[in-house]
């Protein structure tokens, strides 16, 4: 025999576990995406550090492989982690993200390599952090951590800034992704 | 008013059924993930999964991934139905009194 209070508590428990299942599925996908982007960003920064001339080719390649990888992760994931059906608005999000970044860095301002190296991670991590306000504190922690370390590198690390960013941004995403899998 | 399902009503089994029911049909969760989600111990979780399996509410698949054994638990159609009825009964209780 249970009363309405106990029934409400049982339903609240069900809601809680359903939310946790959904968050766990989201973290599973997000961790793969973070690790993939981390590897690419690490490689992009190492190329920029070792062969600055080729950075102009490396970063578009990182972006294309990064977005392509996200689509592949989404399509190859088992059904229980895929969540909602593919939404064309996700593509639009990336188009708007890169278009706005391009307008800021090339039209409103003319950013040099160092400014570009700081702007894109901060800009990307801003959205990551904002998403975390809805999807889970792991996103917020990873986003704010990488933004803070990027700013430290921008102001205090000299010529080795791309190498710093390889470890901070690339390494941060890889570690963040691995951490998400353990939550 | 319908009766509450005694098998599902136990707190840990309710959590298990809620977690499995949140997945698409025929999708399951690994034992390790269920343990993390519910906060249960290995022994406790295993015992309650067995109770649900005996009632026909979940199916348990054991396989090897590499060299590691992996147990996957999936809600059956009967389990999903029983869970839906259980939730409906809880809602009825809230709407109109006691069982």
């Amino acid at each position: 025999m249970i009363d309405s209070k106990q029934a409400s508590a049982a339903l609240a428990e069900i809601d809680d576990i359903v939310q946790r299942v959904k968050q766990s599925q989201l973290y599973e996908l997000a961790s793969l995406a973070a690790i993939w982007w981390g590897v690419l960003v690490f490689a992009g920064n190492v190329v920029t550090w070792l062969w600055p001339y080729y950075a102009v080719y490396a970063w578009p390649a990182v972006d294309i492989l990064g977005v392509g990888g996200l689509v592949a992760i989404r399509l190859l994931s088992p059904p229980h982690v895929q969540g909602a059906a593919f939404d064309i608005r996700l593509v639009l999000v990336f188009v708007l993200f890169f278009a706005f970044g391009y307008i800021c860095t090339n039209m409103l301002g003319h950013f040099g390599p160092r400014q570009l190296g700081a702007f894109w991670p901060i800009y990307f991590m801003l959205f990551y952090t904002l998403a975390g306000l809805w999807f889970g504190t792991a996103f917020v922690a990873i986003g704010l951590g990488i933004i803070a370390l990027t700013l430290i590198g921008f102001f205090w690390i000299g010529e080795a800034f791309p190498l710093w960013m390889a470890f901070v941004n690339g390494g941060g995403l890889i570690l963040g992704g691995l951490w998400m899998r353990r939550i | 008013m319908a009766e509450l399902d005694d098998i599902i009503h136990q707190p840990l089994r309710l959590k298990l059924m809620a977690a499995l029911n949140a997945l698409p049909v025929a999708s399951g969760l690994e034992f390790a993930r269920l343990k993390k989600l519910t906060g249960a111990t290995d022994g406790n979780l295993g015992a309650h999964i067995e109770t649900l399996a005996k009632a026909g509410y979940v199916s348990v698949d054991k396989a090897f991934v590499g060299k590691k054994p992996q147990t996957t638990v999936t809600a059956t159609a009967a389990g999903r139905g029983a869970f839906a009825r259980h939730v409906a009964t809880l809602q009825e209780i809230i709407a109109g009194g006691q069982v």
Side-chain angles (χ1 to χ4, degrees):
Chain A
M1 280 238 194
I2 67 168
D3 59 23
S4 59
K5 221 174 185 177
Q6 290 166 312
S8 295
L11 285 180
E13 195 126 308
I14 291 169
D15 283 343
D16 178 57
I17 201 90
V18 168
Q19 285 309 313
R20 285 163 63 186
V21 169
K22 285 181 180 169
Q23 187 172 61
S24 140
Q25 291 171 323
L26 182 70
Y27 276 9
E28 205 173 322
L29 271 188
S31 74
L32 278 177
I35 292 167
W36 174 240
W37 271 97
V39 168
L40 291 172
V41 165
F42 183 87
N45 276 297
V46 169
V47 168
T48 305
W49 163 244
L50 293 174
W51 306 285
Y53 177 78
Y54 291 107
V56 71
Y57 304 110
W59 287 105
V62 164
D63 293 337
I64 290 166
L65 288 172
V67 174
L70 292 185
V71 173
I73 287 168
R74 177 71 177 69
L75 295 176
L76 297 174
S77 299
H80 76 271
V81 289
Q82 283 193 1
F86 181 75
D87 189 340
I88 191 71
R89 286 176 297 187
L90 285 175
V91 177
L92 205 56
V93 165
F94 280 104
V95 171
L96 289 172
F97 175 85
F98 286 115
F100 184 79
Y102 180 82
I103 289 169
C104 287
T105 56
N106 289 282
M107 295 167 77
L108 295 176
H110 296 284
F111 287 22
R114 191 177 179 86
Q115 286 77 22
L116 286 171
F119 172 80
W120 284 104
I122 290 174
Y123 178 45
F124 186 80
M125 286 302 150
L126 169 68
F127 282 90
Y128 211 77
T129 306
L130 293 177
L133 298 177
W134 279 268
F135 299 134
T137 48
F139 291 91
V140 178
I142 293 167
L144 289 180
I146 291 178
I147 287 172
L149 290 169
T150 300
L151 289 172
I152 288 170
F154 182 76
F155 288 112
W156 286 291
I157 303 290
E159 294 296 310
F161 181 59
L163 194 60
W164 169 266
M165 288 309 296
F167 286 99
V168 162
N169 196 13
L173 282 171
I174 292 168
L175 286 179
L178 293 172
W179 174 51
M180 270 182 170
R181 298 178 83 84
R182 298 183 65 86
I183 296 177
Chain B
M1 187 182 287
E3 289 285 311
L4 281 170
D5 188 317
D6 283 338
I7 293 168
I8 294 179
H9 191 59
Q10 195 280 336
L12 181 53
R13 292 199 289 267
L14 181 72
K15 282 184 187 179
L16 288 171
M17 287 307 296
L20 297 171
N21 195 65
L23 304 173
V25 173
S27 293
L29 285 172
E30 298 86 43
F31 188 90
R33 195 162 281 270
L34 281 170
K35 191 179 157 192
K36 207 182 281 182
L37 284 166
T38 58
T41 61
D42 282 355
N44 203 18
L45 186 58
H48 285 294
I49 287 172
E50 204 179 314
T51 304
L52 289 169
K54 273 183 187 165
Y57 290 174
V58 299
S59 64
V60 180
D61 296 304
K62 293 184 181 184
F64 276 87
V65 177
K67 286 181 179 175
K68 284 186 177 176
Q70 192 175 67
T71 302
T72 304
V73 185
T74 309
T76 61
R80 284 175 182 272
F83 181 75
R85 285 190 296 277
H86 187 79
V87 170
T89 307
L90 290 172
Q91 285 164 341
E92 278 177 37
I93 293 167
I94 294 168
Q98 292 187 346
V99 170

